[in-house]
Amino acid sequence: MTDLCCNVTSCVHNSEHCCCKTAIQVDGQEAKDKSCTCCGSFDKDQAARNATETPQLQLSVDCDATNCVYNENRMCRAEHIDISGGSAQNSESTLCATFRTR
Ligand code: SF4
Ligand code: SF4
C-alpha cells in the first residue's frame, strides 16, 4: 500500500489533496521520465464518483512504468507518491512526480 498525495483537483476522485479510490492505475509503459507517466484512473465524469467516497491515505497502485525504480511486477512499492496535474482536463495532463529512472 502506498501513501498518496494528489493535487489534481479537477479529478472527481480528489478530495483534500487525497484520492478517494482504494486503487489506481498509473500508465507510462515506455516512460523514461515522469512527464511520460500519468494517472490512468483520472476521471472528470461526476457519474464515475461514488457518493460515499472518502479520502484514502493509503491505496494500491498498479503501475505500467517499469523503468521506475519503485516498480516491482507492475505494482508501486514506494512508501509515498505524489500525483500532479493541477486542473488537468484529461489523464495525459497528469503525472507521477515520484517517478525515478532505474
Ligand atoms: S488523478 Fe488519479 S490519484 Fe488523483 S484523485 Fe484522480 S484518480 Fe486519484
Ligand atoms: S513512483 Fe514509479 S512505480 Fe510508483 S506509481 Fe510512480 S511511476 Fe509508478
Side-chain angles (χ1 to χ4, degrees), residues 4-15 17-21 23-26 39-43 59 83-84 94:
L4 182 148
C5 283
C6 176
N7 75 0
V8 188
T9 50
S10 52
C11 176
V12 294
H13 303 299
N14 192 291
S15 178
H17 283 194
C18 292
C19 184
C20 293
K21 290 177 75 73
I24 62 160
Q25 168 73 45
V26 170
C39 179
S41 301
F42 170 92
D43 216 317
L59 58 160
I83 301 293
S84 300
T94 66

Side-chain angles (χ1 to χ4, degrees), residues 34-83:
K34 61 187 173 188
S35 66
C36 297
T37 65
C38 69
C39 179
S41 301
F42 170 92
D43 216 317
K44 278 204 70 194
D45 183 359
Q46 284 294 338
R49 191 175 190 283
N50 183 335
T52 60
E53 281 186 339
T54 51
Q56 304 292 315
L57 294 181
Q58 292 218 307
L59 58 160
S60 172
V61 181
D62 286 351
C63 180
D64 279 345
T66 52
N67 290 327
C68 175
V69 289
Y70 299 115
N71 196 297
E72 207 178 295
N73 298 325
R74 295 185 180 273
M75 292 290 295
C76 180
R77 299 298 181 201
E79 284 184 14
H80 175 95
I81 66 171
D82 290 300
I83 301 293

